[in-house]
Amino acid sequence: MLYFSKMKVLYDHQIFMLQRFGGISRYFYELMRHSAQLFDYLVSGAFALSHNEYIDALQLPREFPLNMQLTDAQKLILNYADALIKTKECDVIHPTYYDPYILRNKNKPLVITVHDMIHELFPEYFTEDKTTVPQKKQMIHAADHIIAISQNTKSDILKLYPEISENKISVVYHGAPTNTIDNKEKPCGNYILFTGQRWIYKNFYNFISAVAPLLIKYDLRLICTGTAFNQNEQELLKNLDIHDRTTCLFADDKTLTELYSAATAFVFPSIYEGFGLPILEAFSAGGGGGAQS
């Protein structure tokens, strides 16, 4: 009888340090959570400074072997992750973001996931970010294989970097969420739903200006999920006289599914997306009287 060991994939800490929540950290969380029948995984790095919502669920290590107050904590974490990569036994390295530190000790096939090319296509929205584009470019060229989460993202990569072989890129779409609600118990809401981060390209300000008269005319509320409204957003809501009709809350997976399902409408006005996961989430949670995208 032949026995085959499962492939072992090495992830790193990067996106879990950058996001409290979000599509990319959710992507890697789901890869790890559903890996049992497909592959084993390891995670390099420590997460003492992270507030990411998925760390405890994945039981990632929060301890760190050095006093975090002595020097630059981020540099220490990178060096620590770098040292772990040297010693971890793995078959494939799959970093969670684009910092090229990992290339210093690249001794295994390197796979990266490219979620979108928004930084490259809309640089005016990221004037303070001087690292993502050059780092991503370096990793795209260094990778042995690239996962693109949509055909659109693959096309954008090839358009921006025509020297990259098309055979180097595989399109692997996101899966639908598995949280469901019994239609018999599904509540009926009187609100419009906006989910996720509200970066400039998410078009939140134009959306608020357009939806404000509808909230007043039809006596609707607006529920947003994600980080609390910032000062500029709060002022806009007051100027439009809808601040008492709006709520911003952090929603776990179950709550988010309930919000999608019960909403009068789900609105996703983003200017550009590599995939657009909230649309898939809304359809998955929808049904008769449920959220529409």
Side-chain angles (χ1 to χ4, degrees):
M1 181 179 294
L2 295 176
Y3 293 92
F4 298 93
S5 59
K6 287 188 288 187
M7 180 175 67
K8 187 171 292 185
V9 179
L10 176 65
Y11 299 107
D12 73 355
H13 65 286
Q14 291 185 68
I15 200 60
F16 298 102
M17 301 299 294
L18 293 171
Q19 292 184 329
R20 180 186 174 193
F21 57 88
I24 300 179
S25 56
R26 175 64 183 267
Y27 166 80
F28 282 101
Y29 163 71
E30 295 291 354
L31 280 180
M32 296 179 202
R33 190 164 74 98
H34 295 288
S35 68
Q37 303 303 317
L38 301 173
F39 56 87
D40 292 325
Y41 73 89
L42 301 164
V43 183
S44 69
F47 303 88
L49 299 181
S50 176
H51 300 288
N52 188 276
E53 296 294 327
Y54 303 123
I55 286 179
D56 290 334
L58 290 171
Q59 298 183 328
L60 298 179
R62 287 189 180 274
E63 73 279 358
F64 196 75
L66 296 173
N67 186 335
M68 302 299 290
Q69 305 302 318
L70 291 178
T71 185
D72 182 355
Q74 295 294 339
K75 184 176 180 180
L76 282 175
I77 290 173
L78 281 177
N79 289 339
Y80 182 56
D82 197 23
L84 288 176
I85 289 170
K86 292 180 183 178
T87 60
K88 295 288 188 182
E89 291 294 329
C90 65
D91 300 298
V92 175
I93 300 173
H94 190 173
T96 58
Y97 210 56
Y98 306 118
D99 192 312
Y101 82 94
I102 208 160
L103 300 179
R104 296 195 298 250
N105 292 295
K106 178 182 177 294
N107 56 5
K108 298 290 183 177
L110 175 67
V111 174
I112 65 168
T113 296
V114 176
H115 304 269
D116 58 58
M117 302 299 285
I118 292 175
H119 284 76
E120 293 81 357
L121 294 170
F122 300 96
E124 65 272 22
Y125 296 154
F126 305 97
T127 54
E128 297 181 0
D129 185 350
K130 306 297 183 184
T131 61
T132 298
V133 171
Q135 288 185 348
K136 188 195 295 187
K137 180 179 180 179
Q138 186 175 354
M139 292 293 282
I140 284 173
H141 283 84
D144 295 288
H145 202 76
I146 298 168
I147 297 171
I149 64 169
S150 67
Q151 185 62 48
N152 184 63
T153 294
K154 177 179 179 178
S155 298
D156 284 345
I157 296 170
L158 294 174
K159 179 171 64 177
L160 289 162
Y161 301 117
E163 68 275 15
I164 299 296
S165 170
E166 184 175 358
N167 295 330
K168 186 177 176 177
I169 307 173
S170 295
V171 175
V172 182
Y173 297 103
H174 289 318
T178 56
N179 294 311
T180 58
I181 292 180
D182 188 335
N183 284 334
K184 295 180 181 179
E185 300 178 358
K186 186 166 59 178
C188 181
N190 192 34
Y191 60 88
I192 293 174
L193 180 65
F194 182 103
T195 64
Q197 299 289 359
R198 300 182 297 276
W199 309 123
I200 296 176
Y201 72 91
K202 297 293 186 179
N203 212 15
F204 180 71
Y205 286 86
N206 286 333
F207 160 68
I208 284 294
S209 298
V211 81
L214 299 177
L215 298 182
I216 297 170
K217 180 178 180 179
Y218 295 103
D219 193 24
L220 294 167
R221 294 185 56 77
L222 172 66
I223 297 180
C224 299
T225 66
T227 54
F229 293 128
N230 61 36
Q231 184 175 347
N232 290 336
E233 291 168 341
Q234 291 176 21
E235 290 178 359
L236 177 61
L237 295 172
K238 289 179 181 178
N239 291 337
L240 293 171
D241 198 25
I242 59 170
H243 62 283
D244 59 343
R245 295 177 176 271
T246 58
T247 302
C248 188
L249 53 86
F250 176 78
D252 59 22
D253 290 346
K254 182 178 184 297
T255 302
L256 185 59
T257 301
E258 292 171 350
L259 288 171
Y260 277 128
S261 182
T264 300
F266 163 65
V267 181
F268 190 65
S270 179
I271 294 171
Y272 199 87
E273 292 289 324
F275 183 87
L277 184 59
I279 294 176
L280 187 61
E281 291 175 336
F283 275 119
S284 178
Q292 302 297 312
S293 60

